[in-house]
Amino acid sequence: QLLCVSGRIMPAKKASQQSKRGSNTRKKGKPAKVTRFSNLFESRPRNFSIGQDLTPKRDVTRFVRWPKYVRTQRHKRMLERRLKVPPTVNQFRTAFGEKHEVMKFAAKYKPESPKEKKERTRREAEDAAGKMKTEKSKRTPTLKYGLKRVTRLIEQQRAKLVLIAHDVVPLEMVVWLPALCRKADIPYAIVKSKSALGRLAGFKTASACCFTDVKPTDQSELAALATACKAEFNEKRPSWGGLSKPSKGAKTGRQKQGKKRSHIVN
């Protein structure tokens, strides 16, 4: 018997109870049971309740509420595929990419940036201050940009190759430009995209650019590109587009043919 702090007499624990806590529960001589699956492909159901197994990842793209501009451009794209598209609009679907030779050639004739222009004018001013008579340096030929400027150059027969962006919004701004180039017999090319032309012109976007003059060493390369663009765009007649069937509704394989009715003449 033990005396507690409160003054009560507490019975002492039995030796058997003390030994049970400290001793191992496994009895000597018997090995522990190992749970083994009878089959490798045995079903192991998972529990997806709170605090249990993680739920598998799902594609929730169809449940996302996209912004209005995304929905608008998707609807427009779908209508262009399903409806009958006239040739003047459909011709803007075939375009040269940003890695085409025309775009690489146009990158050589980027107009000078404001920083380069400031440096050039400063050098010219220093030369003028040092000498009384100075010869003005000839301006290097550059790419001409801007819709009004390009249109005027085409009408004056000064443009040698015209580049038109395929994604101008609204399209009515440039939809007449290919017809004007054909009438003036000037080679043109529809390229991707207005942002790529904008980088060449030094702006965010540009709807059209053209070449009026190039270096003597690049005359043959420009003539070869103009011939290729003329064969690809000027000489080809634009065709109708659209009327494409949806991929989900299209039936695969051959359709089942019904029984042919026999026409018997009495």
Side-chain angles (χ1 to χ4, degrees), residues 45-57:
R46 290 185 289 177
N47 184 11
F48 297 120
S49 60
I50 297 172
Q52 303 299 324
D53 297 326
L54 295 174
T55 54
K57 291 183 179 180

Side-chain angles (χ1 to χ4, degrees), residues 91-98 100 164-167 189-193 232-233:
Q91 65 181 341
F92 285 90
R93 288 191 178 182
T94 55
F96 289 153
E98 294 184 17
H100 196 267
I164 309 167
H166 84 295
D167 57 346
I190 299 171
V191 297
K192 296 180 181 180
S193 58
E232 184 67 27
F233 293 97

Side-chain angles (χ1 to χ4, degrees), residues 45-183:
R46 290 185 289 177
N47 184 11
F48 297 120
S49 60
I50 297 172
Q52 303 299 324
D53 297 326
L54 295 174
T55 54
K57 291 183 179 180
R58 298 173 183 173
D59 185 13
V60 293
T61 310
R62 292 182 62 84
F63 304 99
V64 175
R65 185 171 178 81
W66 295 98
K68 191 174 182 180
Y69 76 95
V70 176
R71 283 179 279 155
T72 306
Q73 65 189 9
R74 287 182 178 177
H75 293 166
K76 181 185 175 183
R77 182 73 172 169
M78 191 59 63
L79 285 173
E80 285 178 353
R81 289 180 179 178
R82 303 286 175 83
L83 299 179
K84 196 174 182 181
V85 183
T88 51
V89 178
N90 191 49
Q91 65 181 341
F92 285 90
R93 288 191 178 182
T94 55
F96 289 153
E98 294 184 17
K99 295 182 180 180
H100 196 267
E101 295 297 327
V102 176
M103 302 298 285
K104 292 178 182 178
F105 182 75
K108 297 179 184 179
Y109 292 93
K110 286 178 65 176
E112 59 182 0
S113 62
K115 193 174 182 180
E116 292 172 349
K117 186 178 180 181
K118 187 178 180 181
E119 186 68 23
R120 179 176 58 81
T121 52
R122 185 184 63 80
R123 277 191 274 102
E124 288 178 358
E126 287 178 357
D127 294 341
K131 299 176 183 178
M132 294 299 292
K133 294 180 180 180
T134 56
E135 294 181 0
K136 290 185 178 180
S137 59
K138 292 182 180 180
R139 288 187 177 181
T140 55
T142 56
L143 200 66
K144 308 300 179 184
Y145 53 89
L147 195 57
K148 286 185 179 180
R149 193 179 186 184
V150 170
T151 307
R152 187 170 63 252
L153 291 171
I154 293 170
E155 290 172 347
Q156 294 172 357
Q157 295 286 332
R158 291 173 57 192
K160 295 183 178 180
L161 178 61
V162 182
L163 305 178
I164 309 167
H166 84 295
D167 57 346
V168 179
V169 178
L171 192 62
E172 288 82 358
M173 293 175 65
V174 294
V175 76
W176 47 269
L177 205 53
L180 181 65
C181 291
R182 285 196 204 97
K183 188 177 181 180

Side-chain angles (χ1 to χ4, degrees), residues 188-256:
Y188 74 94
I190 299 171
V191 297
K192 296 180 181 180
S193 58
K194 60 183 180 181
S195 58
L197 287 181
R199 285 194 293 272
L200 295 176
F203 293 92
K204 285 186 178 179
T205 57
S207 55
C209 298
C210 72
F211 295 95
T212 54
D213 193 16
V214 293
K215 296 174 183 177
T217 54
D218 294 335
Q219 289 284 351
S220 59
E221 189 176 356
L222 179 64
L225 290 172
T227 307
C229 293
K230 204 166 187 176
E232 184 67 27
F233 293 97
N234 291 60
E235 296 175 1
K236 282 187 178 180
R237 189 177 178 181
S239 59
W240 286 82
L243 296 178
S244 62
K245 294 181 180 179
S247 58
K248 289 184 179 179
K251 294 181 180 179
T252 57
R254 293 182 178 180
Q255 295 181 354
K256 293 181 179 179

